[in-house]
Each structure stands twice: as C-alpha cells, then as structure tokens.
Amino acid sequence: MIFQQISQNIDVKDTVFNEIYPPNIKVVAEKHWTPVAVAKMAAKYLVEKPGTKVLDIGAGAGKFCLVGAASTEGFFYGIEQRAFLTKISKKIAVRHNITNVEFLHSNIDKISFSDYEAFYFFNSFFENIDTSNPIDDTILPDSDLYHAYSDYVKEQLNKTPVGTRLVTYWSKWDEIPTNFEFVDSACNGFLSFWKKVS
C-alpha cells in the first residue's frame, strides 16, 4: 500500500513508512534512514532516464533504494556492510514486489563505481566518528575507517564519466572530488545535488 502511494506521488509520512521495519530498526530510523520526501527528491534527480543504475553508498535498511525504486524508473543498488540489514531490505522488496532494486552485503571499498551511473550518499561513514546514536554495537567507532572510506569514495567518483550525478545528504563533503560541481540544494542545505563537469 505505501509503495503504491509513493509510486502515485502521494505523500507518505515517515512514521507510517517506518512501520514496515522491526522495532530495533524503527527506533533508529529518524537518525539513520533517509526521510521519504528526501529520498523521492534525490531519486528524481539521479534517474535521468529509465533504467539508470543508482548506487546507494551505505544502504542501511534500504529505505532510500526502496522509495527511489517505487517513485522512479531507475534501478537501485544498495551496498550495506551489515548482513542483517541487507536481509531485511531484501525481504521488504520481495514482499512488496519491488523488482527494480537489489541489495548487496559488502563493504564500499570492495565495490567498483564503474558498474553504476549515479550515486547517493547519506553520510554512512559518520558512524565511525560519532558515538551518540549507534545503529547497533557491531561496528565500533574508528576515525581511520571514516577517512579510508571517504578517500575510497572520492577516488571512485573521480573515475566516473563527465555528467555523472551525485546527491549527498548530511555530508561533510569529504568524499566529493573537486571535478563535481554543486548544482543545487534543498532541506536547509543538508541535501546537495552535484554533477561531474570534468
């Protein structure tokens, strides 16, 4: 029902959407998962044509990919290091018959960006330097990892073709190469739209 509403561009409140998650996932939703309205905006910018392959760098419980897949004709890939979150995301996609989405259990530094055409980044590495509201206790904070992952993403984005689109949400911009041009912003500047120019 909620995905049908999203596909018909009917507003869905996050409190309603987050009911699809188990209690332990729902409780961290406000801080860690992309709001529905933000996901729709980001996905619409990233999907330039039907079938555009969008990579979510650190998919968490899959909310951005699920909303993006329901609201556009793009194909969404969510990379997530926690296996249990990938499992939850896959189950939701199957249960709601969302076929233009795929969830992969892996670390971002094992992924080649050349397989994708557009990118979404909701500061998924921040948990390595922020201890205030963890998703769980399986990943311990490590500032070296924050920098290593950010550098890897920057290096991969740097290799993408001119015209590649990127959306960042609550990012410190550490992962954005200088050849990406700032296009626009929304959500009081927290949501930023980028395009590779050289």
Side-chain angles (χ1 to χ4, degrees):
M1 183 69 178
I2 50 169
F3 291 105
Q4 197 176 359
Q5 290 174 326
I6 288 168
S7 69
Q8 292 166 355
N9 210 20
I10 296 166
D11 286 340
V12 173
K13 290 190 188 315
D14 288 289
T15 48
V16 173
F17 186 97
N18 294 338
E19 287 298 320
I20 66 173
Y21 291 118
N24 61 321
I25 302 304
K26 197 164 49 176
V27 78
V28 296
E30 193 178 339
K31 174 132 188 197
H32 290 286
W33 319 141
T34 303
V36 173
V38 170
K40 281 166 71 175
M41 254 189 288
K44 282 180 178 151
Y45 174 74
L46 293 171
V47 177
E48 289 183 87
K49 62 186 190 301
T52 298
K53 293 179 177 178
V54 179
L55 177 67
D56 181 3
I57 302 164
K63 189 171 173 183
F64 167 74
C65 288
L66 292 163
V67 172
S71 61
T72 73
E73 291 183 42
F75 202 105
F76 290 77
Y77 298 83
I79 303 299
E80 173 52 47
Q81 66 178 338
R82 289 175 171 88
F84 80 96
L85 288 179
T86 305
K87 198 173 171 185
I88 288 167
S89 304
K90 285 180 175 178
K91 273 186 180 172
I92 292 168
V94 169
R95 189 181 310 133
H96 295 274
N97 199 29
I98 301 168
T99 54
N100 54 329
V101 69
E102 192 174 321
F103 296 101
L104 308 163
H105 172 230
S106 182
N107 262 40
I108 196 61
D109 57 6
K110 305 287 187 289
I111 302 298
S112 168
F113 285 22
S114 61
D115 296 335
Y116 309 96
E117 298 164 287
F119 302 88
Y120 177 71
F121 181 73
F122 175 10
N123 210 349
S124 41
F125 312 143
F126 192 63
E127 69 170 334
N128 287 296
I129 53 175
D130 172 42
T131 56
S132 63
N133 193 6
I135 294 171
D136 60 21
D137 58 5
T138 63
I139 309 290
L140 298 173
D142 182 341
S143 61
D144 289 346
L145 269 182
Y146 172 85
H147 295 294
Y149 289 153
S150 298
D151 290 347
Y152 181 80
V153 168
K154 193 176 200 172
E155 177 192 305
Q156 288 290 308
L157 287 172
N158 202 33
K159 295 177 185 173
T160 59
V162 169
T164 295
R165 293 187 175 204
L166 165 71
V167 174
T168 58
Y169 186 50
W170 284 89
S171 165
K172 294 172 74 178
W173 297 5
D174 291 336
E175 69 292 335
I176 302 167
T178 53
N179 51 13
F180 272 75
E181 188 177 76
F182 177 79
V183 175
D184 201 359
S185 70
C187 306
N188 299 318
F190 292 116
L191 185 67
S192 302
F193 303 85
W194 307 84
K195 194 169 193 177
K196 190 170 186 188
V197 291
S198 65

Tab-separated table of all heavy atoms in Angstrom, residues 76-122:
chain	number	residue	atom	x	y	z
A	76	PHE	N	17.912	0.569	-8.543
A	76	PHE	CA	18.643	0.969	-7.342
A	76	PHE	C	19.408	-0.200	-6.726
A	76	PHE	O	18.864	-1.289	-6.562
A	76	PHE	CB	17.670	1.577	-6.324
A	76	PHE	CG	17.157	2.910	-6.771
A	76	PHE	CD1	16.178	3.014	-7.744
A	76	PHE	CD2	17.684	4.079	-6.240
A	76	PHE	CE1	15.732	4.243	-8.191
A	76	PHE	CE2	17.250	5.319	-6.675
A	76	PHE	CZ	16.271	5.407	-7.651
A	77	TYR	N	20.669	0.065	-6.387
A	77	TYR	CA	21.546	-0.921	-5.756
A	77	TYR	C	21.986	-0.368	-4.405
A	77	TYR	O	22.554	0.724	-4.342
A	77	TYR	CB	22.786	-1.172	-6.618
A	77	TYR	CG	22.477	-1.738	-7.982
A	77	TYR	CD1	22.110	-0.892	-9.035
A	77	TYR	CD2	22.540	-3.106	-8.222
A	77	TYR	CE1	21.825	-1.403	-10.297
A	77	TYR	CE2	22.251	-3.623	-9.485
A	77	TYR	CZ	21.893	-2.769	-10.513
A	77	TYR	OH	21.600	-3.282	-11.752
A	78	GLY	N	21.716	-1.115	-3.360
A	78	GLY	CA	22.108	-0.677	-2.020
A	78	GLY	C	23.235	-1.538	-1.489
A	78	GLY	O	23.098	-2.753	-1.389
A	79	ILE	N	24.366	-0.908	-1.175
A	79	ILE	CA	25.512	-1.625	-0.597
A	79	ILE	C	25.490	-1.413	0.907
A	79	ILE	O	25.416	-0.263	1.369
A	79	ILE	CB	26.844	-1.067	-1.161
A	79	ILE	CG1	26.871	-1.154	-2.686
A	79	ILE	CG2	28.052	-1.790	-0.537
A	79	ILE	CD1	26.759	-2.523	-3.254
A	80	GLU	N	25.552	-2.485	1.674
A	80	GLU	CA	25.468	-2.375	3.137
A	80	GLU	C	26.383	-3.404	3.803
A	80	GLU	O	26.395	-4.564	3.408
A	80	GLU	CB	24.019	-2.563	3.584
A	80	GLU	CG	23.793	-2.631	5.076
A	80	GLU	CD	24.392	-1.475	5.858
A	80	GLU	OE1	24.204	-0.305	5.435
A	80	GLU	OE2	25.058	-1.735	6.877
A	81	GLN	N	27.147	-2.951	4.813
A	81	GLN	CA	28.096	-3.861	5.475
A	81	GLN	C	27.450	-4.755	6.531
A	81	GLN	O	28.038	-5.756	6.942
A	81	GLN	CB	29.240	-3.057	6.104
A	81	GLN	CG	28.813	-2.149	7.251
A	81	GLN	CD	29.993	-1.411	7.871
A	81	GLN	OE1	31.131	-1.843	7.744
A	81	GLN	NE2	29.707	-0.305	8.536
A	82	ARG	N	26.251	-4.407	6.990
A	82	ARG	CA	25.583	-5.254	7.987
A	82	ARG	C	24.657	-6.240	7.277
A	82	ARG	O	23.655	-5.844	6.680
A	82	ARG	CB	24.769	-4.391	8.957
A	82	ARG	CG	25.606	-3.566	9.926
A	82	ARG	CD	24.689	-2.670	10.739
A	82	ARG	NE	25.369	-2.009	11.832
A	82	ARG	CZ	26.004	-0.842	11.734
A	82	ARG	NH1	26.036	-0.206	10.567
A	82	ARG	NH2	26.599	-0.298	12.791
A	83	ALA	N	24.968	-7.528	7.402
A	83	ALA	CA	24.200	-8.566	6.696
A	83	ALA	C	22.732	-8.576	7.100
A	83	ALA	O	21.844	-8.772	6.268
A	83	ALA	CB	24.820	-9.939	6.955
A	84	PHE	N	22.437	-8.342	8.392
A	84	PHE	CA	21.040	-8.418	8.840
A	84	PHE	C	20.199	-7.300	8.228
A	84	PHE	O	19.010	-7.482	7.965
A	84	PHE	CB	20.951	-8.423	10.377
A	84	PHE	CG	21.066	-7.087	11.048
A	84	PHE	CD1	19.933	-6.367	11.415
A	84	PHE	CD2	22.312	-6.537	11.336
A	84	PHE	CE1	20.031	-5.138	12.047
A	84	PHE	CE2	22.426	-5.312	11.970
A	84	PHE	CZ	21.279	-4.604	12.327
A	85	LEU	N	20.813	-6.131	7.955
A	85	LEU	CA	20.069	-5.038	7.318
A	85	LEU	C	19.792	-5.361	5.851
A	85	LEU	O	18.696	-5.097	5.343
A	85	LEU	CB	20.840	-3.723	7.434
A	85	LEU	CG	20.900	-3.091	8.826
A	85	LEU	CD1	21.718	-1.809	8.809
A	85	LEU	CD2	19.498	-2.804	9.381
A	86	THR	N	20.775	-5.948	5.182
A	86	THR	CA	20.579	-6.354	3.784
A	86	THR	C	19.444	-7.376	3.690
A	86	THR	O	18.599	-7.309	2.792
A	86	THR	CB	21.881	-6.964	3.220
A	86	THR	OG1	22.934	-6.025	3.394
A	86	THR	CG2	21.761	-7.300	1.758
A	87	LYS	N	19.407	-8.286	4.636
A	87	LYS	CA	18.361	-9.327	4.665
A	87	LYS	C	16.971	-8.692	4.825
A	87	LYS	O	16.020	-9.061	4.125
A	87	LYS	CB	18.651	-10.277	5.833
A	87	LYS	CG	17.967	-11.608	5.757
A	87	LYS	CD	18.466	-12.517	6.868
A	87	LYS	CE	17.642	-13.783	6.950
A	87	LYS	NZ	18.023	-14.623	8.070
A	88	ILE	N	16.851	-7.736	5.737
A	88	ILE	CA	15.572	-7.039	5.964
A	88	ILE	C	15.144	-6.319	4.687
A	88	ILE	O	13.985	-6.405	4.260
A	88	ILE	CB	15.699	-6.046	7.140
A	88	ILE	CG1	15.779	-6.804	8.476
A	88	ILE	CG2	14.532	-5.054	7.171
A	88	ILE	CD1	16.205	-5.947	9.661
A	89	SER	N	16.085	-5.596	4.053
A	89	SER	CA	15.784	-4.842	2.826
A	89	SER	C	15.280	-5.763	1.720
A	89	SER	O	14.299	-5.457	1.040
A	89	SER	CB	17.033	-4.113	2.339
A	89	SER	OG	17.552	-3.275	3.337
A	90	LYS	N	15.960	-6.891	1.554
A	90	LYS	CA	15.563	-7.855	0.508
A	90	LYS	C	14.162	-8.388	0.758
A	90	LYS	O	13.358	-8.520	-0.176
A	90	LYS	CB	16.557	-9.022	0.463
A	90	LYS	CG	17.890	-8.677	-0.180
A	90	LYS	CD	18.814	-9.894	-0.169
A	90	LYS	CE	20.103	-9.604	-0.910
A	90	LYS	NZ	21.042	-10.725	-0.889
A	91	LYS	N	13.872	-8.710	2.022
A	91	LYS	CA	12.537	-9.232	2.376
A	91	LYS	C	11.437	-8.228	2.044
A	91	LYS	O	10.380	-8.596	1.520
A	91	LYS	CB	12.483	-9.559	3.875
A	91	LYS	CG	12.963	-10.943	4.224
A	91	LYS	CD	12.732	-11.228	5.699
A	91	LYS	CE	13.216	-12.611	6.081
A	91	LYS	NZ	13.174	-12.837	7.526
A	92	ILE	N	11.678	-6.958	2.371
A	92	ILE	CA	10.679	-5.907	2.109
A	92	ILE	C	10.457	-5.775	0.603
A	92	ILE	O	9.316	-5.682	0.138
A	92	ILE	CB	11.109	-4.563	2.730
A	92	ILE	CG1	11.074	-4.658	4.264
A	92	ILE	CG2	10.202	-3.415	2.253
A	92	ILE	CD1	11.750	-3.505	4.987
A	93	ALA	N	11.541	-5.785	-0.170
A	93	ALA	CA	11.424	-5.665	-1.631
A	93	ALA	C	10.604	-6.809	-2.209
A	93	ALA	O	9.720	-6.596	-3.046
A	93	ALA	CB	12.812	-5.632	-2.266
A	94	VAL	N	10.850	-8.028	-1.748
A	94	VAL	CA	10.103	-9.205	-2.235
A	94	VAL	C	8.639	-9.117	-1.817
A	94	VAL	O	7.734	-9.297	-2.640
A	94	VAL	CB	10.756	-10.519	-1.724
A	94	VAL	CG1	9.854	-11.719	-1.984
A	94	VAL	CG2	12.121	-10.726	-2.366
A	95	ARG	N	8.419	-8.801	-0.528
A	95	ARG	CA	7.049	-8.728	-0.001
A	95	ARG	C	6.198	-7.702	-0.745
A	95	ARG	O	5.010	-7.905	-0.961
A	95	ARG	CB	7.091	-8.372	1.492
A	95	ARG	CG	5.728	-8.491	2.185
A	95	ARG	CD	5.785	-8.104	3.658
A	95	ARG	NE	6.863	-8.784	4.357
A	95	ARG	CZ	7.727	-8.173	5.190
A	95	ARG	NH1	7.636	-6.877	5.402
A	95	ARG	NH2	8.660	-8.855	5.807
A	96	HIS	N	6.832	-6.597	-1.159
A	96	HIS	CA	6.071	-5.527	-1.826
A	96	HIS	C	6.260	-5.530	-3.347
A	96	HIS	O	5.883	-4.578	-4.021
A	96	HIS	CB	6.453	-4.175	-1.231
A	96	HIS	CG	6.055	-4.039	0.208
A	96	HIS	ND1	4.793	-3.621	0.600
A	96	HIS	CD2	6.724	-4.304	1.358
A	96	HIS	CE1	4.723	-3.619	1.923
A	96	HIS	NE2	5.875	-4.031	2.399
A	97	ASN	N	6.879	-6.611	-3.842
A	97	ASN	CA	7.043	-6.790	-5.287
A	97	ASN	C	7.762	-5.617	-5.960
A	97	ASN	O	7.361	-5.144	-7.023
A	97	ASN	CB	5.675	-7.050	-5.949
A	97	ASN	CG	5.832	-7.686	-7.320
A	97	ASN	OD1	6.800	-8.401	-7.571
A	97	ASN	ND2	4.903	-7.407	-8.209
A	98	ILE	N	8.824	-5.143	-5.320
A	98	ILE	CA	9.642	-4.073	-5.907
A	98	ILE	C	10.805	-4.766	-6.613
A	98	ILE	O	11.702	-5.319	-5.969
A	98	ILE	CB	10.139	-3.090	-4.832
A	98	ILE	CG1	8.931	-2.477	-4.108
A	98	ILE	CG2	10.985	-1.984	-5.454
A	98	ILE	CD1	9.278	-1.731	-2.855
A	99	THR	N	10.779	-4.747	-7.937
A	99	THR	CA	11.731	-5.553	-8.711
A	99	THR	C	12.934	-4.764	-9.224
A	99	THR	O	13.931	-5.362	-9.629
A	99	THR	CB	11.018	-6.216	-9.907
A	99	THR	OG1	10.364	-5.187	-10.664
A	99	THR	CG2	9.977	-7.223	-9.434
A	100	ASN	N	12.870	-3.437	-9.219
A	100	ASN	CA	13.988	-2.624	-9.733
A	100	ASN	C	14.918	-2.175	-8.599
A	100	ASN	O	15.337	-1.015	-8.518
A	100	ASN	CB	13.467	-1.418	-10.525
A	100	ASN	CG	12.474	-0.570	-9.755
A	100	ASN	OD1	11.716	-1.088	-8.915
A	100	ASN	ND2	12.453	0.719	-10.022
A	101	VAL	N	15.227	-3.134	-7.722
A	101	VAL	CA	16.109	-2.846	-6.595
A	101	VAL	C	16.892	-4.110	-6.244
A	101	VAL	O	16.392	-5.226	-6.425
A	101	VAL	CB	15.292	-2.345	-5.372
A	101	VAL	CG1	14.436	-3.441	-4.770
A	101	VAL	CG2	16.177	-1.722	-4.312
A	102	GLU	N	18.128	-3.897	-5.802
A	102	GLU	CA	18.954	-5.040	-5.390
A	102	GLU	C	19.805	-4.609	-4.194
A	102	GLU	O	20.332	-3.489	-4.170
A	102	GLU	CB	19.865	-5.454	-6.555
A	102	GLU	CG	20.548	-6.777	-6.333
A	102	GLU	CD	21.335	-7.219	-7.563
A	102	GLU	OE1	20.857	-7.025	-8.693
A	102	GLU	OE2	22.441	-7.755	-7.364
A	103	PHE	N	19.919	-5.479	-3.214
A	103	PHE	CA	20.706	-5.172	-2.020
A	103	PHE	C	21.892	-6.124	-1.920
A	103	PHE	O	21.728	-7.339	-2.050
A	103	PHE	CB	19.832	-5.238	-0.764
A	103	PHE	CG	18.758	-4.195	-0.765
A	103	PHE	CD1	17.453	-4.517	-1.111
A	103	PHE	CD2	19.057	-2.874	-0.456
A	103	PHE	CE1	16.460	-3.554	-1.138
A	103	PHE	CE2	18.068	-1.896	-0.493
A	103	PHE	CZ	16.773	-2.229	-0.823
A	104	LEU	N	23.070	-5.556	-1.706
A	104	LEU	CA	24.302	-6.329	-1.679
A	104	LEU	C	24.988	-6.166	-0.331
A	104	LEU	O	25.206	-5.044	0.131
A	104	LEU	CB	25.245	-5.851	-2.795
A	104	LEU	CG	24.630	-5.795	-4.199
A	104	LEU	CD1	25.463	-4.944	-5.125
A	104	LEU	CD2	24.483	-7.191	-4.769
A	105	HIS	N	25.330	-7.296	0.276
A	105	HIS	CA	26.057	-7.253	1.541
A	105	HIS	C	27.552	-7.182	1.228
A	105	HIS	O	28.159	-8.159	0.776
A	105	HIS	CB	25.735	-8.498	2.379
A	105	HIS	CG	26.592	-8.611	3.593
A	105	HIS	ND1	27.276	-9.759	3.923
A	105	HIS	CD2	26.903	-7.690	4.541
A	105	HIS	CE1	27.968	-9.551	5.039
A	105	HIS	NE2	27.750	-8.304	5.426
A	106	SER	N	28.145	-6.004	1.445
A	106	SER	CA	29.557	-5.810	1.146
A	106	SER	C	30.044	-4.505	1.768
A	106	SER	O	29.226	-3.682	2.189
A	106	SER	CB	29.765	-5.753	-0.374
A	106	SER	OG	31.134	-5.617	-0.685
A	107	ASN	N	31.345	-4.323	1.805
A	107	ASN	CA	31.910	-3.036	2.204
A	107	ASN	C	32.104	-2.187	0.954
A	107	ASN	O	32.408	-2.716	-0.121
A	107	ASN	CB	33.251	-3.229	2.922
A	107	ASN	CG	33.087	-3.179	4.419
A	107	ASN	OD1	32.117	-3.704	4.937
A	107	ASN	ND2	34.009	-2.550	5.108
A	108	ILE	N	31.983	-0.890	1.097
A	108	ILE	CA	32.056	0.005	-0.056
A	108	ILE	C	33.409	-0.106	-0.764
A	108	ILE	O	33.487	0.029	-1.984
A	108	ILE	CB	31.730	1.467	0.341
A	108	ILE	CG1	31.417	2.294	-0.908
A	108	ILE	CG2	32.817	2.098	1.193
A	108	ILE	CD1	30.227	1.817	-1.719
A	109	ASP	N	34.475	-0.383	-0.019
A	109	ASP	CA	35.800	-0.446	-0.658
A	109	ASP	C	36.023	-1.708	-1.491
A	109	ASP	O	37.097	-1.919	-2.054
A	109	ASP	CB	36.924	-0.251	0.362
A	109	ASP	CG	36.884	-1.245	1.506
A	109	ASP	OD1	36.051	-2.174	1.469
A	109	ASP	OD2	37.687	-1.088	2.444
A	110	LYS	N	34.971	-2.533	-1.579
A	110	LYS	CA	35.028	-3.732	-2.447
A	110	LYS	C	34.208	-3.507	-3.731
A	110	LYS	O	34.076	-4.398	-4.557
A	110	LYS	CB	34.451	-4.961	-1.718
A	110	LYS	CG	35.092	-5.258	-0.372
A	110	LYS	CD	36.490	-5.828	-0.532
A	110	LYS	CE	37.073	-6.284	0.795
A	110	LYS	NZ	37.426	-5.189	1.696
A	111	ILE	N	33.657	-2.309	-3.867
A	111	ILE	CA	32.727	-2.023	-4.969
A	111	ILE	C	33.373	-1.097	-5.996
A	111	ILE	O	33.938	-0.063	-5.650
A	111	ILE	CB	31.443	-1.352	-4.415
A	111	ILE	CG1	30.767	-2.250	-3.383
A	111	ILE	CG2	30.472	-0.976	-5.532
A	111	ILE	CD1	30.282	-3.587	-3.885
A	112	SER	N	33.257	-1.470	-7.272
A	112	SER	CA	33.729	-0.595	-8.349
A	112	SER	C	32.571	0.298	-8.804
A	112	SER	O	31.509	-0.198	-9.182
A	112	SER	CB	34.224	-1.429	-9.526
A	112	SER	OG	34.416	-0.595	-10.650
A	113	PHE	N	32.777	1.594	-8.782
A	113	PHE	CA	31.715	2.530	-9.158
A	113	PHE	C	31.441	2.522	-10.660
A	113	PHE	O	30.440	3.066	-11.106
A	113	PHE	CB	32.063	3.948	-8.702
A	113	PHE	CG	31.900	4.171	-7.212
A	113	PHE	CD1	31.927	3.111	-6.306
A	113	PHE	CD2	31.729	5.457	-6.715
A	113	PHE	CE1	31.771	3.325	-4.945
A	113	PHE	CE2	31.570	5.678	-5.339
A	113	PHE	CZ	31.605	4.610	-4.465
A	114	SER	N	32.330	1.904	-11.440
A	114	SER	CA	32.144	1.887	-12.897
A	114	SER	C	30.911	1.089	-13.318
A	114	SER	O	30.429	1.221	-14.437
A	114	SER	CB	33.385	1.319	-13.584
A	114	SER	OG	33.612	-0.009	-13.176
A	115	ASP	N	30.375	0.274	-12.398
A	115	ASP	CA	29.172	-0.514	-12.700
A	115	ASP	C	27.886	0.297	-12.561
A	115	ASP	O	26.797	-0.211	-12.845
A	115	ASP	CB	29.078	-1.728	-11.756
A	115	ASP	CG	30.229	-2.706	-11.956
A	115	ASP	OD1	30.796	-2.731	-13.066
A	115	ASP	OD2	30.572	-3.417	-10.996
A	116	TYR	N	27.991	1.549	-12.112
A	116	TYR	CA	26.811	2.367	-11.800
A	116	TYR	C	26.896	3.726	-12.495
A	116	TYR	O	27.966	4.145	-12.926
A	116	TYR	CB	26.691	2.541	-10.275
A	116	TYR	CG	26.753	1.214	-9.553
A	116	TYR	CD1	27.954	0.740	-9.026
A	116	TYR	CD2	25.625	0.394	-9.458
A	116	TYR	CE1	28.027	-0.511	-8.409
A	116	TYR	CE2	25.691	-0.849	-8.842
A	116	TYR	CZ	26.900	-1.295	-8.318
A	116	TYR	OH	26.978	-2.530	-7.720
A	117	GLU	N	25.739	4.402	-12.575
A	117	GLU	CA	25.690	5.664	-13.330
A	117	GLU	C	25.413	6.892	-12.458
A	117	GLU	O	25.667	8.021	-12.883
A	117	GLU	CB	24.599	5.563	-14.404
A	117	GLU	CG	24.868	4.469	-15.425
A	117	GLU	CD	23.626	4.130	-16.238
A	117	GLU	OE1	22.701	3.500	-15.695
A	117	GLU	OE2	23.602	4.523	-17.415
A	118	ALA	N	24.870	6.695	-11.281
A	118	ALA	CA	24.542	7.815	-10.395
A	118	ALA	C	24.678	7.324	-8.953
A	118	ALA	O	24.598	6.113	-8.691
A	118	ALA	CB	23.120	8.315	-10.667
A	119	PHE	N	24.868	8.274	-8.016
A	119	PHE	CA	25.253	7.884	-6.661
A	119	PHE	C	24.538	8.706	-5.589
A	119	PHE	O	24.352	9.908	-5.751
A	119	PHE	CB	26.776	8.038	-6.498
A	119	PHE	CG	27.537	7.228	-7.504
A	119	PHE	CD1	27.853	7.764	-8.755
A	119	PHE	CD2	27.881	5.908	-7.248
A	119	PHE	CE1	28.508	7.003	-9.717
A	119	PHE	CE2	28.541	5.145	-8.200
A	119	PHE	CZ	28.858	5.690	-9.434
A	120	TYR	N	24.168	8.001	-4.501
A	120	TYR	CA	23.536	8.653	-3.355
A	120	TYR	C	24.371	8.357	-2.116
A	120	TYR	O	24.792	7.215	-1.890
A	120	TYR	CB	22.116	8.124	-3.155
A	120	TYR	CG	21.423	8.708	-1.937
A	120	TYR	CD1	21.013	10.047	-1.931
A	120	TYR	CD2	21.196	7.939	-0.798
A	120	TYR	CE1	20.385	10.588	-0.805
A	120	TYR	CE2	20.570	8.487	0.319
A	120	TYR	CZ	20.168	9.808	0.306
A	120	TYR	OH	19.570	10.348	1.417
A	121	PHE	N	24.593	9.407	-1.307
A	121	PHE	CA	25.426	9.248	-0.121
A	121	PHE	C	24.821	10.003	1.063
A	121	PHE	O	24.821	11.226	1.089
A	121	PHE	CB	26.834	9.779	-0.409
A	121	PHE	CG	27.790	9.638	0.742
A	121	PHE	CD1	28.305	8.402	1.088
A	121	PHE	CD2	28.166	10.742	1.486
A	121	PHE	CE1	29.192	8.265	2.159
A	121	PHE	CE2	29.051	10.617	2.554
A	121	PHE	CZ	29.557	9.382	2.889
A	122	PHE	N	24.272	9.253	2.034
A	122	PHE	CA	23.756	9.839	3.276
A	122	PHE	C	24.769	9.509	4.366
A	122	PHE	O	24.608	8.605	5.156
A	122	PHE	CB	22.370	9.264	3.590
A	122	PHE	CG	21.772	9.707	4.915
A	122	PHE	CD1	22.326	10.717	5.687
A	122	PHE	CD2	20.619	9.103	5.393
A	122	PHE	CE1	21.763	11.110	6.902
A	122	PHE	CE2	20.043	9.484	6.603
A	122	PHE	CZ	20.632	10.483	7.356
